[in-house]
Amino acid sequence: MMSGPTKTMAAVTAVTLVLTTAYTVALGSSGWLWFCWVLLGVTTVGMAAADSGESAVRRPRPRPRPQP
C-alpha cells in the first residue's frame, strides 16, 4: 500500500508524462525535458520501493518491565 505522498508523486509523474508527450508532438522533442522526466520517474520508483519496504520491517515490541 502506498502512502499519500507516494500516490501524489505517482500522479504528478503520470501527468508530467502526458504533458511531455504533448509538448513533443506539438513542438518537437526536447532532450532536457525527457531527461528531467526520467529523473522524476526514477525518483517516484525509489519512493514507491522505500514505501513498500517500510511495512515489511517488523520491530519487536518491548517487553513490559516487571513491577517491583
Side-chain angles (χ1 to χ4, degrees):
M1 187 66 112
M2 291 192 301
S3 65
T6 306
K7 287 180 184 178
T8 303
M9 187 74 163
V12 167
T13 302
V15 168
T16 306
L17 175 62
V18 171
L19 293 175
T20 302
T21 304
Y23 181 91
T24 299
V25 169
L27 302 174
S29 184
S30 170
W32 282 110
L33 193 60
W34 283 104
F35 176 73
C36 290
W37 184 83
V38 168
L39 287 179
L40 181 64
V42 169
T43 304
T44 303
V45 169
M47 281 182 66
D51 201 25
S52 67
E54 286 180 9
S55 62
V57 175
R58 297 208 174 172
R59 297 183 182 144
R61 288 186 172 179
R63 293 184 182 183
R65 294 184 181 183
Q67 297 295 327

